[in-house]
Structure formats: structure tokens, C-alpha cells
Amino acid sequence: MIRVAAAAYPLDPLASEAAVVAKVTGWAETAARGGAEILVFPEYAGIELAAPGGYAARLDRTPTVLAARVSAHDAALSRLAARLGVVLVAGSLPLALSGGVVNRARVFLPDGQSRAQDKIVPTPWERAVWDVQGGGPLRVIETPFARIALLICYDVEFPLLGRAALEAGAELLLVPAATERRAGQSRVRVGAMARALEGQCAVVHAPLIGGAPWAAAVDVNHGTAAIYTPADGAFPETGVLAEGQPETPGWVMADVDLPALSALRDRGEVRGVAHWPEQASVKTVGMALEP
């Protein structure tokens, strides 16, 4: 059994890089006191790091400024994860690197090491505004608590990504998200629940919430933090293990029974993982139109 925590996270126009670290530290300490072992912050929560100096208001400058500031920030988060003994999935952020702009989440492990996951499929907005580069690789990250994979927001709407992660050994799918409208929140929620259903796994959905008029990329955000499972066995009939209130800041936590999820694949009422290969044998038959 592991305890996971999904942040419903509001953005603040913080005045210094130290203030950003202090805010994340306070949030992480709260989750750790609640027994959480894997903490998930949302997509683009890292844009707070561009608030000092007003750079979050400048779409043209945000990725470059973040690239200059992220190393020192990440060093502080690495120390934080080690001190708390947790896996900390930091809020993703757009980074201008030598190969172009990526939307990157970083994962900090209790031993001080870190890993990174870039968004695989950028949204049309990300492509148009920042020319965000996607394409992988999709990583399965070994942690002391579970093997995890990150599907950043839009990525969870593509079933083959979740399937690839699970076939590579992931036990838990983490979905940091940022959605401007409730329609976007609904799409990510449905995608996350579908990945839990077909993959017979738990999925952790951590969204940005609230307004941030000082941050041009994420000025309006709607979301509800939640943790989803298959609707089978001892898990909830709704497939919702835990869910917060819409637009309400704070952590949503739940204990996830990984052995029970694994057992569903062999003994569940439905066995999506076992039956997945049967889809490949189905042939499409063309239909001739009547003259």
C-alpha cells in the first residue's frame, strides 16, 4: 500500500525565487505530514519561477528565463525530497533548450537523484506559441514506492501512451495537468479514468486551479484533483478512489493497493490487460455503397 497525493494548486505572483521554493516546501511538508509518499504537482506549476521580474507575463521570454533559473530551483527541490523521504513530481515548465522548447516535469527521489519527463504530444496551443517539441521518450521511473510514468495533461488522452508505459512496467500513472476551461478538465478526467480502466491501474490527476492574470500562459485554470482506479474488485464502483472539490486548493490523498490492482489482471470481473491483444486480431471490413 502506498499513499499518493495530487495537488490542486493555485498560482501566486511570488516576488523571488526563494519565495517559490518556500511555497513548494510548505505544500510538500503538508503532504508528507499526511503520510504521502508520492507527491504530484500540476503541469505548468513551475511557471511561478518566472513570476519574479514579471517574466511570466511575457510569452516570448518565459521559456528562456525558466531555463536560466531551473537548475538552482531543482537543487532545492532535490534536497527537499531527500529530507522528507518522498517522491516529488515538480510542476512542469516550458524550457528553452538547445534543441528547442520542451514542457518538462522533473521527478525528485528520496535518495537525492532526479529524473525528467517531457510532454510527448504538445497541444496545438503549445506548438503555435512556443513551438514545443514532443516525441519522447516515455520513461518508466523506478522509485522506492512504485514504478511510475508521467502522462502530462494532453498525453493522457492518447491510449497508446498509457498502454506503452504499462507494458514497460509502470504500476502507477501520474497526470500533471493544466486546463483553461472545464471542457479541458473533463477531457483529462475522462482520459485518466479510461487509462485506469483499460490498464487496470491507478491514475493520479493533479491540476492547476484559479486565476493568474500575471501569467500569460496559464491565466485561467479549472481543475479537480483526483485519484482513479478500475471500477472492479474492492475498488470503488465509480472508479474514483478520491476526489476533491472543483477549484478548491489543497491535496487529495489516497492509499493505493498495488498488489490488489495487479491481482485484478488475473482474477478481476473484467480483464482488460489480458484481453488487450485481442484487439489486434480484429479486421476492418469495408462496406460497399449501394448504387
Side-chain angles (χ1 to χ4, degrees), residues 3 5 7 9 20-41 76-77 79-88 251 253:
R3 179 161 290 188
Y9 189 81
V20 178
V21 172
K23 179 183 176 183
V24 174
T25 297
W27 274 70
E29 288 175 341
T30 297
R33 284 195 298 270
E37 296 158 305
I38 297 178
L39 287 55
V40 186
F41 285 89
L77 297 191
R79 294 191 294 270
L80 175 63
R83 176 169 67 83
L84 297 178
V86 301
V87 173
L88 191 159
W251 291 104
M253 302 190 202

Side-chain angles (χ1 to χ4, degrees), residues 73-156:
H73 182 70
D74 283 2
L77 297 191
S78 180
R79 294 191 294 270
L80 175 63
R83 176 169 67 83
L84 297 178
V86 301
V87 173
L88 191 159
V89 180
S92 81
L93 67 183
L95 292 176
L97 305 177
S98 58
V101 177
V102 296
N103 179 355
R104 176 166 293 177
R106 293 93 59 233
V107 180
F108 301 96
L109 304 176
D111 63 1
Q113 296 189 57
S114 64
R115 305 287 187 268
Q117 177 63 64
D118 294 344
K119 193 171 191 174
I120 305 296
V121 185
T123 64
W125 186 91
E126 289 173 312
R127 296 169 197 253
V129 174
W130 283 323
D131 191 26
V132 173
Q133 306 299 301
L138 178 60
R139 305 178 189 279
V140 174
I141 301 170
E142 189 79 41
T143 82
F145 311 115
R147 291 186 299 276
I148 64 173
L150 277 64
L151 300 177
I152 300 175
C153 201
Y154 196 39
D155 286 346
V156 81

Side-chain angles (χ1 to χ4, degrees), residues 14-15 50-56 58 69:
L14 301 168
Y55 293 108
R58 296 275 307 276
R69 294 177 175 178

Side-chain angles (χ1 to χ4, degrees), residues 130-228:
W130 283 323
D131 191 26
V132 173
Q133 306 299 301
L138 178 60
R139 305 178 189 279
V140 174
I141 301 170
E142 189 79 41
T143 82
F145 311 115
R147 291 186 299 276
I148 64 173
L150 277 64
L151 300 177
I152 300 175
C153 201
Y154 196 39
D155 286 346
V156 81
E157 299 179 33
F158 298 88
L160 295 183
L161 294 181
R163 186 66 188 184
L166 294 168
E167 288 181 332
E171 299 172 290
L172 189 65
L173 300 181
L174 310 181
V175 183
T179 48
E180 181 180 20
R181 296 185 297 119
R182 289 187 177 86
Q185 153 71 17
S186 295
R187 289 192 295 267
V188 174
R189 183 180 194 271
V190 169
M193 295 187 78
R195 303 298 79 80
L197 168 67
E198 68 197 17
Q200 296 180 282
C201 66
V203 180
V204 181
H205 177 189
L208 282 185
I209 61 168
W214 51 271
V218 282
D219 55 334
V220 179
N221 305 283
H222 289 286
T224 304
I227 298 152
Y228 307 113

